[in-house]
Every structure is written in structure tokens, then in C-alpha cells.
């Protein structure tokens, strides 16, 4: 039933899901399994249905900076690269419709880290069995997509470093290894198995499921009892409206837009909000803090000529190294790009080879922690993002990149990969000292688009926790958060599957259904 308010027409549902991204699609599908439960999804972007630009996995790189990208930037990074475009997807399926589909189960110790930070109920024994609930098929890169140069990278990495060749990174927890990634894709068609494709596309005709596409949510509003169950939105035509949740409002807008929405609604650090003229509804100092990422640098080689064309998405293989053998998880990761990734090296004056490959030393559990905040009370103004790259006091992140560049050179000097390479283009073989490698590595550093942590969950006595371990927003009735912003710590690996697991767990918390480790499955 629709009514009219000062904010426009108002419609009501049982659950309103703000953000039709990776987590939002899961929640929409699971909650609407009950035909009596009315679910509405508010998504700022268009549908992905039938759009090969989105659905064809190998086209991912052309989505960056496109009409499907919100394109956030950072404030000045004194010890990092200040020119990074932090792509956030503007399309149904969110970043699962925008990414390379590299899909890892979180390592058990990653979830142990969450429990140690007060997140009861997020232990490996509870969360990892949700793998059986996932509707997204995940498979190792198919043989037909295994480019010869990527195969030779895997062989060379294993030979040079003594790490095992891993056939399936999701078969069991691993400490190190080289191999082809597992992807959420269909090898026959190169179409992605995004959250929208696997969870929403099959059920879009459910009469109890409403999708409000190209609709921007910009403020949460109270109902008559003071619960925050209403969200002010603006449609593609600019017309205002209000959507009300009679049970709960579920924020799934991601690690940038979920805290942004909370701050615009008066939920966050009270002094910061007052300074912008925003009425304080709840003083939650952790909103926007704990901004996490997986920073990575790049080292580039020219190849002897064009490479064979076959690939799933041009970064199909990778390497994990455990420098600290006393610990069970890898502490350096590498993507191997079968194309010359020169966005950041070209800015520093390095030449662009016509044909080339890259390795990208990545910091799996970076110790530098940033924050985000509003620049103004205007919902249309992008927030300020400060990842504080390479600022951890002990220099762990910087040291990881320097050692990663050295490890990459070891692999490149080893057959059979070395036979493909003509020369190191960036930083070049003359850059050898720790100081020079650090300077280069930090200036060309990039992101793999994994922001997280800005509404982290935690124990009741944690003053910086934004939500509790049941994902309920602290100090506010009627709201839960379900996306990567709730991560208290960054998983070692690419986080998209962890987001899927969080969403599946959230569906059970909302419906009361037992989890797969707690009782009968569906």
C-alpha cells in the first residue's frame, strides 16, 4: 500500500534491501523464498540481464571508469599512490558483476581473527559449512583458458620458490602455492556467475520481490516509533520517494556507500556530523573507521612478441608465498597478468611495451588502516577516502611489497617463464636497493578493489564496533548491515566469497533457519 509523505510517495515491504550487490542479491533471493514475505531491493544501477558488457567475464577491465562505475578517488597518499580510481560497481550484482570473479573460500584463520575481535558465531566451524549453500558455481580456470605463458609462470614459480602447484585453491586451506585461480564463471561461454546471475535472475518473476533499479538511497528516516525503517530514495527521473521496511532495513551498499548512508542519516561520530550540520541520531564513532584494502604493486616485463590469445580474464594464475614459516597463512600474494598493466607505471614515465606481462605483489593482511568521512551533507558529493597506504608503524606493508618485487624477479629469471621475456620494463633491473624498490613499489601501487571494514562488527564492549555479531546496527532499532563493511579484519584472499557467506549467514539470522553446521539444511 502506498501513501504520500513530504519525501514523496511511500511504499511498504517486509524487508527493504538497500544495495543490489553481492550480498543484496543473496538476501533478496533467500528472504523472498517465503511467498508471504515482501522484499524490495533498492539498487542505484541498472539491470545486468542480457547485457554482455557485464556478463562476459573477460570484459571486466572495460567496466573500470565506465558508466557502471561510481569511480571513487582517494585523498592525497603521502606514502602511496594518490591517483587510484577505486571502482565500485553501479549495476545489479554489484562488484560480483564487475570483478575478475576470482573466488576463494576464506582461510580458517581469517575467521579465527574475527572471533578474536569479539565476533561470536563467526568461527570456521559455523561459517565454512555455508559453502554448501552457495548458488554460485566456482571452478578452476578451464584447460582451454590456460594460456601457455600463465602455465609457464606457474611452473617457474614452483621451481624458483619450492612452493607446490595447487590444482584447486578451494580444495583445502593452503599456506603457499602457485596455480590457476578458481573463478565464478562458465568456461563454455565466459559468462560470469555473479550474485545477480545465480541468485536473482532465476527468481525475478516472484510476485513478492520488487526491484527498484537506478534508484539512489540517500537518507534513512525514522517511523512514528523512532525506528529507522524508512529510506529516502531518488529514482532515475529524479523523483523522490520513501520505501519502508515493516520488519527490518538491510544495508548492503558496500564498504563505502553503507557508511556514507549512515553518516548522511546522522549515525556516526557525533562531532563530525555536527560540524556538517547533520542532526546526530546515534553517536557511533566507528562508522567510516577501519577502512581496509589489499594494496598491491606491479612489476612489468616486455615479452618477445604477442602472447597466445586464450584466457578467462587475463589474470588467471597466481602465487602465494609464506615468508614467515612459523605461521599457517601466506603473507604475499601475486596475480600474474597476461597483459601489460601500465596505468601507474606510465604516469611515472616508464615506456608501454606493445606486448608484456606483469606480476603484482599484494599485501594479503595489510596493517595500514584508513578511514572515510563525509566532505559535506550533500548526498551527491563523494566522500573522502583515506586508505593511509604504507603507513603502518612497523613498515610491514612496505616491506612486503619490496620483498614481493624481489620474489617476482626470482620467478621471472626461471625457466620456462624466462624464455618469454625480453627485459624488465618497470622498475628496471638497475633498481635494486630496498629504498629504491620501496619508492617505486609504493608510487605505482594499486588496489584490487577490496575495500572493507568501515562498519565492523564486534563485541558489546567494543566502542568502535558499528554492529553486533548478529549484524544489528548498534543503538538503532530496525537496521542490519550485510556487506564487506562488517569485516573486523581483512581475509587473506579475495573477499567476494566471504561476502556471500556473510549474506547466507545473515539470511539465517533473519529467518531463524539453522545454519548448515547447526541442523538440517534446506
Amino acid at each position: 500500500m502506498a501513501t504520500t509523505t513530504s519525501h514523496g510517495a511511500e511504499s511498504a515491504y517486509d524487508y527493504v534491501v538497500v544495495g543490489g550487490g553481492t550480498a543484496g542479491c543473496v538476501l533478496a533471493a533467500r528472504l523472498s523464498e517465503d511467498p508471504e514475505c515482501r522484499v524490495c531491493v533498492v539498487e542505484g544501477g541498472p539491470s545486468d540481464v542480457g547485457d554482455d558488457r557485464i556478463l562476459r567475464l573477460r570484459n571486466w577491465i572495460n567496466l573500470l571508469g565506465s558508466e557502471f562505475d561510481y569511480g571513487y578517488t582517494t585523498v592525497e597518499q603521502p606514502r602511496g599512490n594518490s591517483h587510484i580510481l577505486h571502482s565500485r560497481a553501479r549495476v545489479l550484482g554489484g562488484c560480483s558483476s564487475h570483478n575478475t570473479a576470482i573466488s576463494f573460500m576464506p582461510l580458517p584463520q581469517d575467521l579465527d581473527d574475527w572471533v578474536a575481535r569479539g565476533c561470536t558465531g563467526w568461527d570456521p566451524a559455523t561459517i565454512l559449512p555455508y559453502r554448501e549453500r552457495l548458488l554460485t558455481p566456482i571452478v578452476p580456470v578451464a584447460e582451454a583458458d590456460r594460456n601457455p605463458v600463465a602455465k609457464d609462470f606457474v611452473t617457474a614459480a614452483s621451481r624458483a620458490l619450492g612452493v607446490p602447484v595447487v590444482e584447486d585453491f578451494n580444495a583445502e586451506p593452503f599456506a603457499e602455492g602457485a596455480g590457476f585461480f578458481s573463478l565464478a564463471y562458465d568456461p563454455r561461454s565466459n559468462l560470469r556467475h555473479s550474485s545477480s546471475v545465480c541468485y536473482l535472475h532465476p527468481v525475478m518473476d516472484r510476485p513478492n520481490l520488487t526491484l527498484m533499479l537506478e534508484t539512489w538511497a540517500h537518507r534513512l528516516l525514522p517511523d512514528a516509533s523512532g525506528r529507522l525503517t524508512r529510506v529516502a530514495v531518488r529514482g532515475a527521473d529524479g523523483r523522490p520517494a520513501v520505501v519502508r521496511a515493516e520488519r527490518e532495513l538491510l544495508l548492503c551498499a558496500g564498504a563505502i556507500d553503507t557508511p556514507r548512508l549512515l553518516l548522511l542519516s546522522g549515525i556516526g561520530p557525533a562531532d563530525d556530523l555536527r560540524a556538517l550540520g547533520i542532526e546526530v541520531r546515534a553517536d557511533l564513532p566507528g562508522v567510516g573507521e577501519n577502512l581496509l584494502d589489499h594494496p598491491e604493486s606491479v612489476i612489468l616485463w616486455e615479452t618477445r612478441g604477442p602472447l597466445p590469445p586464450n584466457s578467462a580474464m587475463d589474470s588467471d594464475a597466481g602465487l602465494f608465498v609464506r615468508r614467515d614459516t612459523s605461521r599457517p597463512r601466506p603473507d604475499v600474494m601475486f596475480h600474474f597478468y597476461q597483459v601489460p598493466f601500465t596505468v601507474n607505471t606510465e604516469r611515472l614515465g616508464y615506456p608501454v611495451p606493445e606486448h608484456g606481462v606483469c606480476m603484482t605483489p599484494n599485501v594479503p593482511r595489510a596493517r595500514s588502516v584508513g578511514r572515510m568521512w563525509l566532505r559535506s551533507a550533500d548526498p551527491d558529493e563523494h566522500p573522502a577516502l583515506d586508505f593511509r597506504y604504507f603507513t603502518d608503524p612497523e613498515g610491514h606493508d612496505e616491506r612486503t611489497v619490496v620483498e614481493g618485487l624481489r620474489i617476482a624477479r626470482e620467478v621471472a629469471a626461471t625457466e620456462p617463464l624466462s624464455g618469454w621475456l625480453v627485459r624488465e620494463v618497470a622498475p628496471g633491473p638497475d633498481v635494486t636497493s630496498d629504498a629504491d624498490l620501496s619508492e617505486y613499489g609504493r608510487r605505482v601501487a594499486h588496489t584490487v578493489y577490496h575495500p572493507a571494514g568501515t562498519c565492523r562488527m564486534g563485541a558489546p564492549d567494543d566502542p568502535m564496533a558499528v554492529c553486533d555479531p548478529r549484524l544489528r546496527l548498534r543503538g538503532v532499532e530496525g537496521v542490519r548491515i550485510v556487506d564487506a563493511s562488517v569485516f573486523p579484519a581483512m581475509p587473506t584472499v579475495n573477499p567476494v566469497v566471504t561476502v556471500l557467506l556473510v549474506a547466507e549467514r545473515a539470511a539465517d539470522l533473519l529467518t531463524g533457519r539453522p545454519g548448515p553446521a547447526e541442523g538440517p539444511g534446506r
Side-chain angles (χ1 to χ4, degrees), residues 454-508:
T454 47
C455 295
R456 66 176 175 86
M457 58 177 162
D461 60 352
D462 181 351
M464 297 301 287
V466 175
C467 55
D468 69 13
R470 295 182 67 83
L471 305 176
R472 296 173 298 199
L473 182 62
R474 291 176 59 175
V476 176
E477 289 284 327
V479 181
R480 294 198 206 212
I481 302 174
V482 187
D483 56 33
S485 70
V486 305
F487 289 9
M490 181 67 88
T492 301
V493 291
N494 301 51
V496 65
V497 175
T498 305
V499 175
L500 293 173
L501 298 175
V502 167
E504 287 279 11
R505 178 63 175 161
D508 284 355

Side-chain angles (χ1 to χ4, degrees), residues 58-350:
R58 204 171 180 185
N59 192 52
W60 71 272
I61 200 164
N62 294 318
L63 300 177
L64 305 180
S66 73
E67 66 196 271
F68 303 108
D69 186 353
Y70 285 114
Y72 295 117
T73 56
T74 66
V75 300
E76 185 72 19
Q77 299 293 293
R79 291 187 53 77
N81 179 3
S82 302
H83 304 279
I84 298 173
L85 185 73
H86 280 268
S87 294
R88 298 284 84 200
R90 182 187 165 275
V91 65
L92 194 65
C95 290
S96 72
S97 291
H98 209 270
N99 61 10
T100 56
I102 299 171
S103 299
F104 290 96
M105 289 291 291
L107 299 177
Q109 298 83 6
D110 294 335
L111 295 170
D112 288 338
D113 284 349
W114 290 18
V115 175
R117 287 165 167 78
C119 299
T120 305
W122 294 88
D123 53 279
T126 300
I127 301 305
L128 295 181
Y130 276 94
R131 176 178 185 164
E132 68 184 58
R133 296 257 181 99
L134 298 183
L135 300 183
T136 49
I138 296 168
V139 296
V141 169
E143 183 61 37
D145 289 330
R146 297 191 174 198
N147 193 287
V149 73
K151 288 184 176 182
D152 286 350
F153 159 78
V154 171
T155 301
S158 180
R159 286 179 180 171
L161 306 173
V163 300
V165 173
V166 178
E167 297 301 329
D168 181 354
F169 282 106
N170 288 316
E172 60 185 6
F174 59 92
E176 55 193 0
F180 282 86
F181 294 130
S182 289
L183 308 180
Y185 88 127
D186 181 349
R188 297 165 299 178
S189 61
N190 193 244
L191 297 182
R192 62 173 70 241
H193 284 146
S194 64
S195 182
S196 53
V197 166
C198 297
Y199 280 87
L200 270 194
H201 288 194
V203 302
M204 281 184 164
D205 59 351
R206 285 178 178 167
N208 60 326
L209 177 61
T210 300
L211 301 182
M212 297 178 65
L213 300 176
E214 298 195 75
T215 301
W216 176 249
H218 57 89
R219 187 165 285 111
L220 307 184
L221 304 170
D223 59 21
S225 67
R227 298 175 76 239
L228 278 186
T229 58
R230 301 161 70 234
V231 56
V233 303
R234 187 173 63 227
D237 59 1
R239 188 171 301 172
V242 173
V243 190
R244 176 165 54 88
E246 295 187 343
R247 296 187 191 176
E248 289 191 57
L249 196 58
L250 308 174
L251 305 187
C252 306
I256 295 174
D257 282 311
T258 286
R260 178 188 186 184
L261 180 58
L262 290 176
L263 294 168
L264 288 166
S265 306
I267 301 165
D271 290 344
D272 292 357
L273 296 174
R274 291 191 189 100
L276 295 176
I278 297 174
E279 180 184 353
V280 177
R281 188 166 298 280
D283 182 9
L284 281 184
V287 175
E289 298 292 333
N290 194 47
L291 177 59
L292 309 173
D293 196 12
H294 281 146
E296 70 176 23
S297 193
V298 62
I299 180 168
L300 168 67
W301 289 270
E302 181 181 7
T303 58
R304 296 191 182 282
L307 302 174
N310 60 311
S311 179
M313 48 76 183
D314 296 311
S315 180
D316 302 329
L319 165 67
F320 290 88
V321 176
R322 180 175 55 159
R323 296 170 298 162
D324 184 351
T325 56
S326 68
R327 298 181 182 272
R329 287 176 288 181
D331 49 28
V332 191
M333 178 190 180
F334 299 79
H335 298 79
F336 179 73
Y337 282 87
Q338 295 145 214
V339 292
F341 184 76
T342 61
V343 171
N344 296 315
T345 57
E346 188 176 359
R347 185 182 297 111
L348 297 184
Y350 289 96

Side-chain angles (χ1 to χ4, degrees), residues 44-62:
S47 174
D48 62 330
V49 175
D51 193 333
D52 273 358
R53 294 173 297 173
I54 304 297
L55 299 177
R56 190 167 61 84
L57 176 58
R58 204 171 180 185
N59 192 52
W60 71 272
I61 200 164
N62 294 318

